Amino acid sequence: TGVISQMGDENIAVVLQGVDLGEGVLHNADDNSANISQSGDNNMAFGVQGVGISDAGEALIVDALTGVIDGVGELLEEYTDVLAEFPALSLDFLSSFAGLEGTSDADGNVTNITQEGDDNFAIAFQGLNSDSDDNSSDITQSGDENVALVDQNGYDSELGGLGVEGNASTITQSGDNNQALVTQSSDDNVSIISQSGDDNIATVLQEDDEDNSANISQTGEDNTATVLQIGADNTADITQ
């Protein structure tokens, strides 16, 4: 199911569930839920659950995420620097699909995105050329020009999406110009990011093994926190 509620001007919301893009691709997407609520102006939100892509390139993925909405490519350029650091939208990741028969089996995933303010951007990947099940992503942003990116897809520079399951990511941001990036490329990880203030940056990368926990809480301005967890049963707590 997909539910979209928007109040304001020039907001964009896209939900893709069980979509084939290109020849020779397969998808299966069951029991996924995506809820997007936006109030304000010029906000953008994307939920991707169970999408198979072949012969992908940068232009194709932008088209896939934006559908037939004109002018969105120009809006995405505002976030070029941030997206360059996000594996699911990196050129290496996109080029990894070239010539592949993409398959995706994404079941039981939940995405909730709530944005209040102007010029906010949020995206959650759950099953892009991968088998990703039972992941949850909750993003809440209030203020202006905040960015939240969640990748629960699995990532490999040669194989594309590997698939993950049982991850939970929660991002809460209030203020202006905050950035939160979460990549969970293994199973049963938990990431919680809370940022209150302006110009804060939080990054969580949980890969290779499972049952990791990361909690970042930042209050004030110009704080930066990064958590890298490679292994199993690690716990990280950062408060600033």
Side-chain angles (χ1 to χ4, degrees), residues 114-128:
T114 301
Q115 301 191 118
E116 298 178 353
D118 301 330
D119 302 303
N120 296 297
F121 179 71
I123 187 168
F125 276 127
Q126 296 169 324
L128 177 64

Side-chain angles (χ1 to χ4, degrees), residues 16 46 51 54 70 82 93 109 114-115 126 130-131 140 143 147 176 179 194 221:
L16 298 178
F46 300 96
V51 175
S54 66
D70 293 332
V82 178
F93 185 74
N109 297 293
T114 301
Q115 301 191 118
Q126 296 169 324
S130 68
D131 299 337
T140 303
V147 176
D176 299 332
Q179 298 178 12
S194 177
E221 299 179 354

Side-chain angles (χ1 to χ4, degrees), residues 8-225:
D9 299 326
E10 298 181 0
N11 296 299
I12 296 169
V14 177
V15 174
L16 298 178
Q17 294 173 319
V19 178
D20 295 337
L21 299 169
E23 297 181 359
V25 297
L26 300 173
H27 78 268
N28 182 51
D30 298 322
D31 300 317
N32 297 292
S33 174
N35 298 288
I36 297 174
S37 177
Q38 301 188 121
S39 60
D41 300 331
N42 200 36
N43 296 296
M44 301 173 62
F46 300 96
V48 178
Q49 298 169 319
V51 175
I53 297 179
S54 66
D55 282 333
E58 188 171 14
L60 177 57
I61 193 65
V62 170
D63 289 344
L65 293 175
T66 59
V68 296
I69 304 170
D70 293 332
V72 174
E74 287 75 11
L75 292 175
L76 284 173
E77 290 178 359
E78 299 176 18
Y79 306 102
T80 299
D81 293 339
V82 178
L83 297 179
E85 301 177 7
F86 188 51
L89 287 179
S90 70
L91 291 178
D92 286 343
F93 185 74
L94 294 174
S95 63
S96 70
F97 294 134
L100 293 178
E101 292 185 358
T103 62
S104 177
D105 187 350
D107 301 324
N109 297 293
V110 176
T111 291
N112 294 307
I113 299 173
T114 301
Q115 301 191 118
E116 298 178 353
D118 301 330
D119 302 303
N120 296 297
F121 179 71
I123 187 168
F125 276 127
Q126 296 169 324
L128 177 64
N129 275 27
S130 68
D131 299 337
S132 298
D133 302 325
D134 301 316
N135 301 290
S136 67
S137 173
D138 291 288
I139 298 171
T140 303
Q141 302 191 119
S142 59
D144 301 330
E145 299 180 2
N146 296 297
V147 176
L149 308 174
V150 175
D151 176 7
Q152 295 170 324
N153 191 62
Y155 170 71
D156 184 273
S157 59
E158 295 180 358
L159 300 178
L162 297 178
V164 297
E165 62 182 26
N167 293 293
S169 171
T170 301
I171 296 173
T172 304
Q173 301 190 120
S174 60
D176 299 332
N177 200 35
N178 296 296
Q179 298 178 12
L181 290 78
V182 175
T183 300
Q184 295 172 315
S185 56
S186 55
D187 300 333
D188 300 315
N189 300 294
V190 176
S191 172
I192 300 173
I193 295 175
S194 177
Q195 300 192 118
S196 176
D198 302 330
D199 302 303
N200 298 298
I201 299 175
T203 303
V204 173
L205 175 60
Q206 297 169 319
E207 63 179 18
D208 289 346
D209 224 316
E210 58 189 27
D211 295 314
N212 296 295
S213 175
N215 192 334
I216 297 175
S217 179
Q218 300 191 121
T219 303
E221 299 179 354
D222 298 307
N223 296 298
T224 299

